[in-house]
Amino acid sequence: MNVDVSLIDWSRAQFALTAMYHWLFVPLTLGLGVIMAVMESLYYKTGNEKWKRTAKFWMKLFGVNFAIGVATGIILEFEFGTNWSNYSWFVGDIFGAPLAIEGIIAFFMEATFIAVMFFGWKKVSKGFHLASTWLTVFGATISALWILIANAWMQNPVGMEFNPDTVRNEMNDFWALALSPIAINKFLHTVISSWLVGAAFVVGISSWFLLKKREKEFSIDSIKIAAIVGTIGIVLSVITGDSSAHQVAQKQPMKLAAMEGLYDGGNGVGLVAVGLLSCDKEPNDGKDPDIFNITFPKMLSFLANRDIDSYVPGINDIINGGYPTEKGVALSTQEKMDRGKLAIAALADFSKAKKAKDSTALYDAKQRLDENFKYFGYGYFKAPEDAVPNVSLVFYSFRIMVILAAYFLLLFIVVWIINHKKKFENMKWLQWVCLLSIPLAYITSQAGWIVAEVGRQPWAIQDILPVMAAVSDISVASVKTTFFIFLVLLTVLFVAELSIMIKQIKLGPEAEDTLHG
Amino acid sequence: MGKKWEITFTTLVTFGGAFFASFPLFYSTSFGGAYWVWILLLLTFVIQAVSFEYIYKQGNLYGQRTFKSFLFINGTLAPVLIGAAVSTFFYGAEFAVNKDNLTGVMPIISSWQNCWHGLEAVAVVENVVLGLAIFFLARCLAALYFINNIDNTSIATKARKQLLINGIGFLIAFLYYLVRLLLKSGWREDAVTGLISQEHCLYWHNLLQLPYVTAIFLVGVVLVLYGFIRTYFASRWRKGIWFAGIGTVFTVLALLLFAGFNHTAYYPSITDMQSSLTTANSSSSLFTLKAMSVVSLFIPFVLAYIWYVWRKMDKK
């Protein structure tokens, strides 16, 4: 295959850059949205003006963050076409539908009711305003639903079949796609874990007010709500995260092996709590994969198969094959590559037979294609090692995500208890901890996506289309140029957002925004 | 405007998603090929969204002038680029599509045939003229919107003046484009063999052979002109945006139907005629299109709640 490797790398880098920038804003939108909606609900229920004031302040910050989240989101939608054109054709019949549904069902809801939320305090009734706030949050949440359905489908392609006549994959079961257990779980895990970011943000900013000896009641009230939302979010994220890891074990064993830095699998495998990987480890090189690690015995087997003695394959096992699976003995990656090449050859034969109107050859090619299509994407690999993602990046990102999530769970519980005992306002050190923990919440969230997306590599669509066959036919220079344009533009806009956000925070709940009355 | 930019943006996102879902081969060929046109268009909208939200905010680090410049760039460049991109539906682009590539050493099916990657579109006079027509039209519609929504005599007077200047600009550009379009050759697909061939005055033929589309087109143009002319001459009449706005939707719809109906190649390849995209060879599967049709049933509901909400918001 003659696709320039640097074109693939720069295209991936550009998508990663824009996606990571986008993901700086989305989790705060999702998390802060729930918190401010709860606050407004309390205002509606109690009629206490303090809750209105509290909700309005956080809404103001929500608005600053929301705009840039929307603006950065559209870049990703366009990039599927501009940078991953082959992907767009090969699976556009399936992948495009959730994006369109997202626009029609979710984005219009958000776009309409957010205007009421900001500008409608004096124009609509209390009930209508509350409904608009919740509909804005609901719209943001279901917009995440549709894009995550699309993303889950990339991890586990279901509800489709390959059509050799059109040379693309076509949807044949919408509900299999929309209600795939992986999609549902991914949606719940992503959205609920975003509450952590919203909660950390509110707790941190409220702590800043306390450190400055300002807005005491407002801060205490905000922390009360945010700590509860954050705690619930993390507990539910642990449950959905566990399901997610179990699903990864079933559908993407290579990703799980990378998450654990596991090269040689076995029965009753332990889960690595902390560890340090060897820098120069390559598959099947006989070297130790790690310098040290501390494991929870048998827990990886339990996580993967709900059986503490079950077999979990490592990277070497997946490359070499021969280990037992539910469907028999696993093929080696080389065997999968051979069958992938058979599928690609069968597709070429199908095309020739169609042009020659040779029905016998057409039937034969179709048979061979159907038998081997499951491994179609492997046919583009040059070596079995091409199937291995960046192990260290996935391994460390997974640990960072889990350790920080545990830290935040502890932090929110401690903060809530201390706040409940009315001692938080006097604990400066804890207020500093909360303030300085805000960036850690973003790191947690970004690390989660790195595990999901870097762990998926080299696949654009699991087993069907590797990234090297998904790119657009454009020059590396063009992609490099747009990479740096996006880097500069998004950084400039991010700095603008931060500056406005900091100013709004400094002004505090009392300040009337110029536009948002 | 700051209250409603979200709706514009959402429409753009929905357009992208709907095009992706309905015509994946167009999405992959045009977006991946005419890379720079789409990237520039994208950038103009990214800066627009942020500008509307940040321009008057306290803490605006770059000052109002920066975001006004962003809005100026968006308002100037985006209509011209949209016009140039839409015009390639009639004047074509330099690309080739070969699905057999998927089984070859370079497995990318769509390739652009020049190194300009879409920028060459702005070197075609007609593409630029359509861009200018959209630029002037957008300014006219903005003037009509101000007249309808802002109760201020001074602004209304200025808007009417702008309506005249930009209305003349629009009419010249639009008529030039229309005449050239009706006289130009186009690519048409043979319904039986699927082969594409050239046909002189193809869009004129479409105008004659698709009377209902022609009717939509004429109604659209009349509504636009009625909205412009009556607003300009009747100083107390403020409802021109409704006529011109709906007329614009009808006119654009009809132009797009002329581009794609009647076996017309809606995205002609000027370097490899048989690679041209038609609705038959580039649309999604029937299953996906049916699914999308069901989803589109939500649109009236969406329009209804948008109308209801804004009626409530504008009331007091």
Side-chain angles (χ1 to χ4, degrees), chain A residues 43-317:
Chain A
Y43 165 61
Y44 181 81
K45 193 180 170 195
T46 63
N48 190 335
E49 285 290 323
K50 75 171 184 178
W51 286 116
K52 179 181 177 183
R53 184 170 171 270
T54 308
K56 277 183 84 170
F57 174 75
W58 295 114
M59 278 175 190
K60 199 158 57 179
L61 301 187
F62 176 93
V64 176
N65 180 71
F66 183 82
I68 195 166
V70 172
T72 50
I74 197 171
I75 298 172
L76 301 176
E77 185 191 34
F78 272 56
E79 277 178 340
F80 285 118
T82 54
N83 294 81
W84 303 101
S85 72
N86 230 35
Y87 166 94
S88 296
W89 164 248
F90 203 52
V91 298
D93 190 82
I94 307 149
F95 192 84
L99 293 190
I101 296 170
E102 183 185 23
I104 294 168
I105 294 180
F107 285 157
F108 276 108
M109 185 184 287
E110 265 180 299
T112 305
F113 291 101
I114 197 170
V116 182
M117 190 175 90
F118 285 129
F119 306 108
W121 283 105
K122 293 171 185 167
K123 298 186 176 186
V124 298
S125 68
K126 252 169 93 173
F128 192 92
H129 193 278
L130 178 65
S132 298
T133 301
W134 276 109
L135 283 169
T136 303
V137 177
F138 183 64
T141 305
I142 59 168
S143 72
L145 169 69
W146 289 103
I147 190 64
L148 290 169
I149 284 173
N151 181 275
W153 180 83
M154 292 165 71
Q155 321 272 347
N156 178 39
V158 290
M160 57 138 226
E161 64 180 346
F162 182 71
N163 182 345
D165 283 313
T166 54
V167 197
R168 67 180 178 195
N169 292 282
E170 294 177 356
M171 189 178 356
N172 61 11
D173 187 345
F174 176 79
W175 296 112
L177 179 79
L179 300 177
S180 134
I182 291 180
I184 300 297
N185 202 67
K186 185 172 268 295
F187 164 69
L188 292 173
H189 187 64
T190 308
V191 168
I192 293 170
S193 63
S194 296
W195 296 0
L196 181 160
V197 176
F201 181 81
V202 172
V203 170
I205 300 300
S206 302
S207 297
W208 180 82
F209 280 116
L210 292 174
L211 283 167
K212 292 283 170 188
K213 301 191 185 307
R214 290 173 55 189
E215 302 292 347
K216 187 179 150 192
E217 187 184 16
F218 159 86
S219 302
I220 297 295
D221 288 339
S222 295
I223 288 169
K224 194 189 301 173
I225 304 296
I228 293 171
V229 170
T231 304
I232 294 170
I234 296 173
V235 170
L236 293 176
S237 296
V238 170
I239 297 167
T240 52
D242 172 68
S243 305
S244 189
H246 176 64
Q247 288 167 339
V248 165
Q250 309 307 311
K251 304 294 180 188
Q252 297 171 295
M254 183 64 89
K255 186 196 277 188
L256 184 78
M259 284 160 65
E260 285 301 304
L262 180 69
Y263 282 82
D264 295 305
N267 293 94
V269 182
L271 181 76
V272 178
V274 285
L276 198 60
L277 297 180
S278 298
C279 298
D280 58 350
K281 173 68 185 168
E282 295 292 335
N284 288 319
D285 65 357
K287 293 179 183 171
D288 278 341
D290 44 36
I291 296 163
F292 88 94
N293 67 45
I294 300 167
T295 61
F296 297 114
K298 295 180 184 283
M299 283 309 292
L300 184 62
S301 286
F302 180 76
L303 189 79
N305 303 310
R306 304 301 188 231
D307 175 356
I308 56 169
D309 293 318
S310 65
Y311 184 86
V312 180
I315 292 167
N316 292 339
D317 305 306

Side-chain angles (χ1 to χ4, degrees), chain A residues 346-378:
Chain A
L347 180 61
D349 292 344
F350 184 92
S351 177
K352 281 179 200 155
K354 197 176 156 191
K355 282 171 192 157
K357 296 183 178 162
D358 181 343
S359 56
T360 311
L362 197 71
Y363 178 79
D364 173 61
K366 177 79 165 63
Q367 289 285 102
R368 283 185 284 128
L369 182 60
D370 289 345
E371 282 166 16
N372 298 295
F373 185 75
K374 191 178 169 190
Y375 305 103
F376 189 88
Y378 287 92

Side-chain angles (χ1 to χ4, degrees), chain B residues 56-300:
Chain B
Y56 297 118
K57 282 269 194 289
Q58 294 182 62
N60 170 4
L61 192 67
Y62 307 128
Q64 290 183 15
R65 185 174 285 186
T66 305
F67 289 110
K68 279 181 183 167
S69 305
F70 283 174
L71 289 174
F72 179 78
I73 291 168
N74 171 255
T76 313
L77 202 55
V80 175
L81 289 173
I82 288 174
V86 170
S87 184
T88 59
F89 288 168
F90 302 102
Y91 283 86
E94 298 180 19
F95 65 88
V97 177
N98 184 358
K99 292 175 189 171
D100 286 341
N101 283 355
L102 204 63
T103 60
V105 289
M106 182 71 181
I108 303 172
I109 64 165
S110 301
S111 57
W112 211 248
Q113 301 294 298
N114 64 54
C115 60
W116 293 99
H117 281 286
L119 289 180
E120 75 281 359
V122 292
V124 177
V125 174
E126 286 78 6
N127 293 349
V128 177
V129 170
L130 186 62
L132 288 173
I134 292 177
F135 170 77
F136 287 124
L137 176 65
R139 291 175 65 86
C140 290
L141 293 174
L144 292 173
Y145 180 82
F146 292 155
I147 291 168
N148 184 59
N149 284 49
I150 305 169
D151 196 7
N152 181 298
T153 316
S154 168
I155 289 175
T157 307
K158 283 180 186 166
R160 280 195 169 79
K161 192 179 166 192
Q162 287 299 319
L163 180 64
L164 177 69
I165 297 165
N166 290 286
I168 291 169
F170 166 70
L171 273 181
I172 293 169
F174 182 70
L175 285 175
Y176 174 83
Y177 191 82
L178 189 63
V179 170
R180 296 283 297 168
L181 182 66
L182 294 177
L183 295 177
K184 83 177 285 295
S185 299
W187 280 223
R188 199 188 295 284
E189 181 187 39
D190 185 299
V192 180
T193 63
L195 287 174
I196 296 163
S197 57
Q198 190 174 351
E199 182 178 316
H200 291 294
C201 296
L202 179 140
Y203 298 101
W204 171 250
H205 295 158
N206 277 358
L207 194 83
L208 298 176
Q209 290 164 11
L210 300 168
Y212 54 95
V213 180
T214 305
I216 294 172
F217 179 72
L218 292 175
V219 169
V221 172
V222 168
L223 284 173
V224 170
L225 294 178
Y226 178 75
F228 286 5
I229 294 168
R230 189 170 168 193
T231 304
Y232 183 74
F233 287 106
S235 58
R236 287 185 164 185
W237 194 66
R238 299 169 61 180
K239 300 290 177 194
I241 184 65
W242 291 100
F243 291 88
I246 293 168
T248 301
V249 172
F250 280 10
T251 308
V252 172
L253 175 67
L255 278 173
L256 293 177
L257 294 179
F258 283 137
F261 271 25
N262 211 17
H263 302 290
T264 308
Y266 72 85
Y267 199 47
S269 169
I270 49 182
T271 49
D272 176 20
M273 190 183 284
Q274 300 311 318
S275 286
S276 301
L277 306 190
T278 65
T279 48
N281 70 19
S282 69
S283 58
S284 284
S285 65
L286 185 61
F287 186 93
T288 295
L289 292 173
K290 278 183 178 173
M292 293 302 301
S293 301
V294 172
V295 173
S296 66
L297 294 176
F298 280 94
I299 291 174

Side-chain angles (χ1 to χ4, degrees), chain A residues 357-427:
Chain A
K357 296 183 178 162
D358 181 343
S359 56
T360 311
L362 197 71
Y363 178 79
D364 173 61
K366 177 79 165 63
Q367 289 285 102
R368 283 185 284 128
L369 182 60
D370 289 345
E371 282 166 16
N372 298 295
F373 185 75
K374 191 178 169 190
Y375 305 103
F376 189 88
Y378 287 92
Y380 292 108
F381 288 170
K382 285 182 180 164
E385 289 73 24
D386 288 352
V388 183
N390 184 327
V391 177
S392 53
L393 185 56
V394 178
F395 175 86
Y396 292 119
S397 297
F398 183 57
R399 283 191 165 85
I400 288 169
M401 177 187 74
V402 173
I403 291 168
L404 286 179
Y407 161 76
F408 275 107
L409 180 62
L410 184 68
L411 181 71
F412 289 144
I413 291 172
V414 168
V415 166
W416 188 83
I417 292 170
I418 293 173
N419 194 41
H420 189 67
K421 290 181 176 174
K422 303 190 189 308
K423 291 180 180 171
F424 185 76
E425 61 202 74
N426 300 319
M427 298 182 76

